[in-house]
Amino acid sequence: MVGVGNPMRGDDGAGHAVVDELRRLAPAGVDLTTASGDAAELIESWSSAEHVIVVDASASGQPAGTVSHFDAVHEPVPARMRGSSSHGLGVGEAVELARAVGRLPARLEVYALEGRDFSSGAALSAEVLRAARALARGLAGSLSPTALDG
Amino acid sequence: MPDKGEGNGGSFTVSVEALARVEGEGGMWVAVRDGRVAEVKLNIYEPPRFFEGFMRGRRFNEAPDITARICGICPVAYQMSSCHAMEMACGVVVDGPLRSLRRLLYCGEWIESHALHVFMLHAPDFLGYESAIHMAQDHPEVVQTALKLKKVGNDILALLGGRAVHPINVRVGGFYRLPSKRQFAALLEPLEWARSACLETLDLAAGFDFPDFEQDYEFVALRHPDEYPFNEGRLVSDKGLDIDIEDYDAHFEEIHVEHSNALHARLKGRGNYFVGPLARYSLNFDRLSPLAQEAARRAGLEPVCRNPFKSILVRLVELVWACDEALRILGDVELPTTPSVPVEPRDGIGHGCTEAPRGILYHRYRIDAEGSILDATIIPPTSQNQPTIESDLARFVEQNLTLSHEDLTWQCEQAIRNYDPCISCATHFLELELVDADAEGD
């Protein structure tokens, strides 16, 4: 489970916030980590996992706090998830690069939390914080090793 | 997008609002009037981050960790320049095995930074792809090599720096903790693979088409009596500069231009200069390892390279050298007896100038006897290269007015990517001038 983003850029910290919540809620045996979003780092982070869940912030024009979910193994990353990183290669690029070179895990789910304010030093927006907590609670229930095997 | 040329007397603009495959956020704008380049702007609109301002009042030994946050790609460069500056201010020299391990850490950063640029950001330009993703469909082996190379660099950073991104194990005086000899030994095999992979890639890249674009730059880089430069040396140029880093201020200046949130640097009385792999290589070819020199010659490079489009070859030569140097250090690594030497603050000024992957990174700090930072100056390589990037754009457009608008725009972006600009680094600071409107009689 990888939370992606930069917590110093407001709602870009949504992925980290979900992981922070899960550190209290997730069952043992689930590997929780955070990443800045660099494509090579992400591909490396899931190289030894079978089932990976990535949570990142999105800026697609939906209401703040909206959660989108897609199965990255069976569908391409939506265009809105690509090219949004300030450092060139982000989550969308990591997924598509991994697909091209055969380094996708068996299961890869991506959750995108829509952000509103990405300014430097800002805190998470109230809507994003609520959505991050709700997503963490939902994921905690499905993150048992038995559920993951299924 | 405005049309090019026809029917308007050879007047047009070439513009890209958001540059692709560069670190950070910026654009470019070139205006041509009557067949001559009238104006060029490398627009740096990424917001400034005021690092120098908030360094004031912090402890001298916080500088490596704070300034490392300026860049996710080259944090080691910030740690090294700040450590050297603070050690100079405090009258301490870190030598012997600790110095070697610093060089090893820097090798890791060069490997991961150059691998990212060469394979993922720059290679698509030469192979005709819009991005690394498009390139990966046809050339998955290029991306596989890039990922594996980057991991080799990351592993060095993780081992010596504590983690691969924003390392936390570097301190003024050395390191917090040292790995074991067994952990160092685990780096040998991946580094040997990396060196071979870079040699093979260099041979392939030598066959790319390079625009004919040799320019009369003033190259500026560090030069050390015995080593290809990382942490130490005199600042030299191919046009007569040869100074101690303490004299940086007497020879260089920074100015603010309206279209950039990053200060432009220039040599006083001389103007533009060029820092980075091309400058480093051209001023230090004789300091490369024999293997790297031979690889460069086989790729068709002369000991001086003035074509920035060939920087992809030079970065590959530096990758070969960085692997070679890391293996050399690991081959006779002696673990230091302590992870760091004590550094006590004293009233003083310290300068640090090291070779970041993109060129010289200069730091200067003034601290008081208790170790508080009184003021800080940080001049990253991309700031220093901005005027040269703009002058390259002007010359490139003037030489290629017959290209289609699409090709010209594509190649202008490439002319910028030649420098591997790190806009995020460059915008660490903006001088703010507060004007009292009332006092001005508003």
Side-chain angles (χ1 to χ4, degrees), chain B residues 12-25:
Chain B
F12 59 92
T13 59
V14 181
S15 66
V16 173
E17 197 176 318
L19 295 165
R21 284 183 275 136
V22 298
E23 302 298 336
E25 297 159 10

Side-chain angles (χ1 to χ4, degrees), chain B residues 193-425:
Chain B
W193 168 84
R195 184 171 59 185
S196 301
C198 294
L199 282 167
E200 280 174 30
T201 309
L202 178 58
D203 290 344
L204 287 173
F208 289 165
D209 280 334
F210 299 101
D212 186 13
F213 192 69
E214 305 256 326
Q215 301 297 312
D216 182 25
Y217 302 111
E218 177 157 8
F219 287 139
V220 174
L222 287 178
R223 183 159 168 87
H224 184 272
D226 314 306
E227 301 164 338
Y228 200 70
F230 264 146
N231 289 45
E232 294 163 30
R234 289 178 68 76
L235 263 176
V236 303
S237 84
D238 55 345
K239 297 197 170 160
L241 184 79
D242 185 357
I243 60 168
D244 192 285
I245 63 164
E246 292 175 53
D247 297 325
Y248 185 97
D249 258 358
H251 294 268
F252 296 86
E253 62 187 346
E254 288 187 294
I255 56 163
H256 180 229
V257 299
E258 200 175 336
H259 59 273
S260 176
N261 279 351
L263 295 172
H264 279 210
R266 61 187 182 195
L267 266 163
K268 288 180 184 172
R270 302 230 278 273
N272 298 2
Y273 61 102
F274 186 128
V275 303
L278 229 61
R280 208 155 46 212
Y281 168 90
S282 298
L283 293 166
N284 292 283
F285 180 84
D286 57 344
R287 301 287 189 263
L288 285 166
S289 60
L291 183 75
Q293 286 187 15
E294 186 197 323
R297 288 203 170 95
R298 205 169 53 243
L301 288 170
E302 300 290 330
V304 173
C305 177
R306 297 191 169 277
N307 183 345
F309 289 89
K310 290 189 177 176
S311 61
I312 189 168
L313 300 181
V314 172
R315 282 190 189 87
L316 280 161
V317 171
E318 286 198 331
L319 273 168
V320 171
W321 176 79
C323 295
D324 225 18
E325 176 68 359
L327 285 164
R328 186 195 64 76
I329 294 167
L330 287 166
D332 49 35
V333 68
E334 282 299 318
L335 282 185
T337 47
T338 57
S340 66
V341 296
V343 181
E344 294 302 323
R346 66 180 192 188
D347 192 359
I349 294 175
H351 309 257
C353 187
T354 70
E355 286 283 355
R358 294 162 183 78
I360 54 169
L361 168 63
Y362 172 75
H363 287 215
R364 184 186 64 248
Y365 301 96
R366 190 159 59 89
I367 63 173
D368 66 17
E370 280 72 48
S372 284
I373 296 172
L374 301 175
D375 60 57
T377 300
I378 299 169
I379 305 179
T382 295
S383 277
Q384 301 177 71
N385 275 338
Q386 283 179 106
T388 301
I389 295 173
E390 290 185 341
S391 104
D392 269 12
L393 281 172
R395 286 173 191 158
F396 189 80
V397 169
E398 279 190 356
Q399 285 181 21
N400 292 280
L401 289 169
T402 54
L403 286 177
S404 71
H405 191 277
E406 191 183 354
D407 286 348
L408 189 56
T409 306
W410 167 272
Q411 293 203 27
C412 280
E413 273 203 87
Q414 192 178 345
I416 296 170
R417 277 193 290 272
N418 288 335
Y419 288 80
D420 187 11
C422 186
I423 293 167
S424 309
C425 279

Side-chain angles (χ1 to χ4, degrees), chain A residues 38 40 44 86-87 93 101, chain B residues 23-25 144 150-151 424:
Chain A
D38 171 70
E44 193 53 42
S86 67
H87 276 240
E93 288 80 1
V101 299
Chain B
E23 302 298 336
E25 297 159 10
Q144 288 279 26
K150 200 160 183 307
K151 183 172 182 325
S424 309

Side-chain angles (χ1 to χ4, degrees), chain A residues 10-25:
Chain A
D11 292 338
D12 197 23
H16 286 239
V18 172
V19 167
D20 287 345
E21 285 292 304
L22 281 170
R23 289 196 195 286
R24 293 190 297 111
L25 303 172

